[in-house]
Amino acid sequence: MLKLDHVVFPVRDAAASLGFYRGVLGLPLVETHAGEDWGGYPWLMMIFGLSAQHELVLVALEGAPAADYGRLPPDVRHYALSVGAEVELDAWRERLEAAGVALWEERHGERRSLYFSDPDGVVIELTWPAAAPRRMEDPAAVAAVLARLG
């Protein structure tokens, strides 16, 4: 079974992103790389540690245009991070509000989630409880998708 190792997404303002991910979210900056030509743009890669085996990677492409997702809802593309206990989710709400971060909460069954945007508009979700490990394909889920596809 494959495991998620890291997630990479572009940012426009490296300084604002560094301040947000280190300062507001408290993630450690564990590694950086830089170069002069990634698709024609000078670049800076910032790698943040999430856990012993997971990383969040931000790439600032100097002078690159902002991503254009048209008229899609902004949260249709987001990154979800889990917390270990419900009390931690409440502490995150307080921490984010104290930092002036606008957020909203949703419930998905028993799951509670906080959503907010980083300085580039990337939507982050903090959720509890974490997704349960699932290794077996669900035939009912496959049938539902195939029925929807018609």
Side-chain angles (χ1 to χ4, degrees), residues 29-100:
L29 181 66
V30 298
E31 192 174 345
T32 62
H33 301 278
E36 295 306 316
D37 186 13
W38 188 340
Y41 301 102
W43 57 278
L44 171 64
M45 179 183 290
M46 298 177 284
I47 303 170
F48 294 90
L50 289 175
S51 66
Q53 297 176 337
H54 302 96
E55 297 171 333
L56 185 62
V57 182
L58 311 181
V59 178
L61 300 172
E62 188 178 320
D68 180 10
Y69 295 99
R71 296 190 312 234
L72 293 175
D75 60 340
V76 75
R77 177 187 57 92
H78 68 273
Y79 302 94
L81 307 171
S82 63
V83 299
E86 190 168 19
V87 68
E88 289 179 45
L89 194 62
D90 295 329
W92 272 107
R93 174 190 286 104
E94 292 174 14
R95 179 178 181 160
L96 293 166
E97 288 174 343

